[in-house]
Amino acid sequence: MPIRINKQLQKYASFDPTKESKPVSLGNLCKEIEEDKMTLPIFQTYIRWRIEKCVDLLNFQLGGKAAVSPISVNIIENKNLAVPQVTFIERKPINSIDDVVGKQSVNDGQQRLTCNYKAYIDHDDFKCIVLDISRGKFLINMESLKKSQIPVGKLYNKDREVFKKYLSEHKELQEFEVQNLLTAIRNKFLGYYYTVNYARDLTETEQQEWFR
């Protein structure tokens, strides 16, 4: 008697999820968050990283010898399977179910993306984070800035003119070698690639299983 072949097993064999991954730069990821193309499923936890953890990530991206772990994203195509979505940072509900179609819903990576996005938009939460050129790392400074320091929100700002204006207002940072170094660090941030793993139309249960 021949073996009955499960149809689902045939489907599994023909689909390779590893081919649904691609590298995406931080500059593009932050832009997608800003344009509300990238959202969060409502069951995601709130931002829980303390400022120290964010500094750790910024330093790892700057000086780490290995890439940061991948981001997991569920692309919503079928509104009937969609989990309610909220925006990054403010977590504003996306009320219309039709508006969630086409969204890239972040299943794993909210904390890392939020950290980078806050630097990208010069968020108030990050006003105390600076790059100390002399010490060679990001750190927290609650006092007056030293001449060797530049706020992360100016260095990594989405608007290059904000970065250039800050340099023009601080003579000690206009030294050719310093300015070139800061420009290279800024470009590294915007061009830093995360591997993004994509899935499509996962249910809430499937998303939670993927996350675990």
Side-chain angles (χ1 to χ4, degrees):
M1 185 176 181
I3 297 173
R4 182 179 63 84
I5 297 177
N6 184 284
K7 291 182 179 180
Q8 194 68 18
L9 191 58
Q10 289 182 319
K11 182 179 177 181
Y12 293 158
S14 64
F15 175 69
D16 183 358
T18 63
K19 292 184 171 65
E20 295 295 308
S21 299
K22 69 176 183 180
V24 184
S25 71
L26 264 180
N28 283 332
L29 289 170
C30 288
K31 188 175 181 181
E32 287 175 342
I33 292 172
E34 185 174 37
E35 294 174 350
D36 288 336
K37 294 178 180 178
M38 192 164 271
T39 57
L40 298 167
I42 199 167
F43 60 78
Q44 274 278 21
T45 58
Y46 284 81
I47 298 169
R48 63 179 184 275
W49 275 17
R50 296 173 63 86
I51 195 77
E52 292 83 2
K53 182 74 170 177
C54 293
V55 170
D56 287 343
L57 176 66
L58 294 170
N59 278 322
F60 187 86
Q61 290 175 171
L62 177 62
K65 295 183 178 180
V68 177
S69 300
I71 301 292
S72 299
V73 170
N74 175 45
I75 299 175
I76 301 171
E77 295 179 339
N78 185 343
K79 64 183 180 182
N80 296 320
L81 297 175
V83 173
Q85 300 291 302
V86 295
T87 64
F88 271 76
I89 312 294
E90 298 90 358
R91 296 182 68 92
K92 294 179 180 177
I94 300 174
N95 294 317
S96 173
I97 194 67
D98 291 323
D99 289 341
V100 304
V101 175
K103 299 294 188 186
Q104 300 179 53
S105 180
V106 177
N107 192 57
D108 184 22
Q110 174 193 188
Q111 310 299 327
R112 287 168 285 156
L113 289 174
T114 298
C115 170
N116 285 301
Y117 184 62
K118 283 185 174 181
Y120 180 78
I121 62 172
D122 195 12
H123 195 278
D124 286 343
D125 290 350
F126 277 22
K127 295 297 185 185
C128 61
I129 300 179
V130 300
L131 173 68
D132 192 302
I133 300 167
S134 297
R135 297 179 64 180
K137 64 180 181 180
F138 288 100
L139 49 83
I140 298 170
N141 181 5
M142 306 299 290
E143 302 173 354
S144 299
L145 288 180
K146 297 178 180 179
K147 66 179 183 179
S148 62
Q149 296 176 343
I150 178 172
V152 69
K154 305 304 180 186
L155 176 62
Y156 286 170
N157 199 282
K158 62 181 180 179
D159 186 350
R160 181 174 174 80
E161 293 305 312
V162 171
F163 169 64
K164 290 171 62 177
K165 183 174 185 293
Y166 190 87
L167 295 185
S168 70
E169 293 171 348
H170 295 79
K171 186 170 67 175
E172 60 277 0
L173 299 179
Q174 295 173 21
E175 185 178 329
F176 181 77
E177 186 176 2
V178 173
Q179 188 167 330
N180 273 5
L181 174 61
L182 293 177
T183 299
I185 292 172
R186 171 184 166 80
N187 290 341
K188 177 178 179 177
F189 168 78
L190 293 172
Y192 189 98
Y193 280 97
Y194 269 78
T195 296
V196 181
N197 296 324
Y198 294 97
R200 297 175 189 274
D201 289 329
L202 296 183
T203 65
E204 181 174 344
T205 300
E206 288 172 329
Q207 289 180 63
Q208 291 176 341
E209 182 180 348
W210 192 24
F211 180 81
R212 288 194 296 268

